[in-house]
Amino acid sequence: MPLVAVGLKFGPVGLSGRVCATGEQSIVAPVQADTLGQPRPGLTFRFCPTLSFWGFPVSFELRLETIRGVLRKPFDLLGLSVDPSLLKLKLPSLGWLAGSLKGFELGSCSPKWTPLTLSGATIWGGAIELDPGPFYAAAAVGQARHAVEGRDFTGLPDSLAHAPDSVTPSYQRMLYAGRLGCGKKEDSHFYLTGMYVYDDPLSIRHSWYNRTTGRFDCSTPADCSARVEVRPAENYVGGAELNLSLLDGRVRLESELAGAVLTPDNRLPKVCSGSELDIYEDVFRPNASTLADYSFRVRPSLGLPGVSVYGEVGRVGARHFSLGAPELRTGLFTFGAGFDAELSRGQVSVSASYEHEDDSPSVLKAQMTTFHSGSAGLGLSFAGLPFFRLGYSPRFLRSASSKEDRHDATLGAGYRFRTGAVCHSPGLSTTWQHNSSSGSGSTEADVTLSHSLGFSFPLSLAVSAGYGWQKTGGDFRPRYQASVSPSCTAFRVWKNTLTYRLQTETGGANHTVGLVTTFPVWKLADANLSVKQKFSRDENGSLHELKLGGGLSTSW
């Protein structure tokens, strides 16, 4: 492949990129009774070429990986993208297009617009962003989920029906989204966002399955009680984003308002009030399962020389569901503030923050839960003196049925100095944590001393030793740990790191030995190999695990 690239780079077509392959295999002895057997090997292959046609760069990405020992594409992980910075640099003749294109993807892509509308969903389709002059436009269209027929084990014995290859069915899901507005993303702007997501109810034959046996039948009461139904959804999301950047960015305001209408089962009959002026029914076509709510977030900030201050307030409605933001937590009301300051030319750093969160009841939560959390930090780093870091973070949880408090404190210190040709880096790290919950509590602490040595020749050595304990009621459990890790480089390119780690606590101990080596394979690729052996012993017996890994990568 590198030889082909050399032949192409002088013509109108250029080729560059990266290829890498990695693998891992674990061997466990003895095999535990509650597992199916030895872990299966894992393989990952990534191919990321960049083609340029008369200076126009286009990047691709293909990733394949093993799932349960079978090589599969997790979600059509073949993508095409254009780097806007390279486009502007290599094709200035395109004028406004080269400077206006902020992003372009085809294939597998994950557009990230706003936390309340579209962020975190992967689609098989395309996405584009443009900001010509004072205007902005973006669009994303694609398939967010494949139609998957659950594997029917009807008629097979239970031993096969419980096979790990049983698949949960899902409907084909399409996503359509667009943004329009004015202003640059990194500066003051106002954008309107709209998104529509639809599951095709005719894309699969079976809408339910038995989570216990994997079968689609419901012949016994036990089978019917384990029945799980998958429903086709429909989702409308709209939002407005307003960001202000004033006084050369020293004063900023980030804000967003969004609303969502989710129909968890679009097969149900539509609600009809009989009014000809009901726009809500005409547009969203709700039924008995439809949920609707709104959300917002506001975050002002002020940046001064050496000091930055911020505040934030936000709400995510209990019925605000966006299928384009699958990780969005619903039913929240939050507010908080914080600051960071660097004094004495950065030698002194101070920070503090506070956050309040109400996790309100919703269709997924039965009761209100309130969180209070904060943090405070102090850092000292003067020339010629040891550095010092101190941190404290409390967290309190309150609900009708529980009360939990947690306090964390950390202390770190270190110093760097040289004696002759040897560089020294001694350090001290301590942590303390106290938990209390409804009349019970626990406290634990750890102290670790470490020292790193660097020599003028290609050899380094890192050692550490620590002591810790955990106390729960009248039970006191001490623990100890130690590690040593030498590293060396041979022939300037062959790098090796050996690690040994010992951890002991009441009733058990863990020994871990590992070796990682990296080296070039002629001029074709870089290789890495790893071996890790772990010996564990506790009250239940002993366990040995050998993990082997390796990989090849090359760039051209």
Side-chain angles (χ1 to χ4, degrees), residues 198-218:
Y198 180 74
D199 290 349
D200 184 0
L202 302 179
S203 57
I204 61 175
R205 293 173 299 164
H206 300 284
S207 63
W208 59 275
Y209 72 106
N210 188 308
R211 63 168 174 254
T212 302
T213 65
R215 300 187 177 97
F216 294 112
D217 60 345
C218 184

Side-chain angles (χ1 to χ4, degrees), residues 145 171 173 199 207 229-233 263-267 289:
R145 182 182 292 174
Y171 292 92
R173 174 171 295 173
D199 290 349
S207 63
E229 185 170 9
V230 181
R231 298 178 175 88
T263 301
D265 190 345
N266 60 33
R267 300 168 301 180
S289 68

Side-chain angles (χ1 to χ4, degrees), residues 110-122 175 195 322-328:
S110 301
K112 296 181 180 180
W113 291 359
T114 71
L116 301 179
T117 57
L118 179 57
S119 178
T122 299
L175 183 147
M195 184 184 69
S322 171
L323 299 180
E327 302 300 323
L328 179 65

Side-chain angles (χ1 to χ4, degrees), residues 31 93 199 326:
V31 176
S93 58
D199 290 349

Side-chain angles (χ1 to χ4, degrees), residues 454-526:
F455 302 92
S456 57
F457 49 94
L459 175 66
S460 63
L461 177 65
V463 296
S464 68
Y467 167 75
W469 52 268
Q470 180 178 11
K471 183 178 181 181
T472 304
D475 184 21
F476 181 83
R477 291 177 173 264
R479 54 179 179 252
Y480 305 88
Q481 67 89 15
S483 67
V484 57
S485 179
S487 299
C488 67
T489 302
F491 310 110
R492 298 184 179 181
V493 292
W494 184 16
K495 300 178 180 180
N496 303 273
T497 301
L498 178 66
T499 302
Y500 171 74
R501 183 177 179 87
L502 168 65
Q503 294 176 293
T504 66
E505 58 183 15
T506 304
N510 294 326
H511 301 264
T512 304
V513 181
L515 173 65
V516 177
T517 179
T518 61
F519 53 91
V521 181
W522 294 283
K523 296 183 178 181
L524 298 178
D526 294 323

Side-chain angles (χ1 to χ4, degrees), residues 280-311:
Y280 174 78
E281 294 181 2
D282 294 340
V283 174
F284 301 112
R285 297 169 297 172
N287 59 34
S289 68
T290 300
L291 307 170
D293 212 328
Y294 74 96
S295 303
F296 69 87
R297 60 181 182 90
V298 180
R299 190 181 193 278
S301 61
L302 173 64
L304 299 174
V307 181
S308 61
V309 183
Y310 73 91

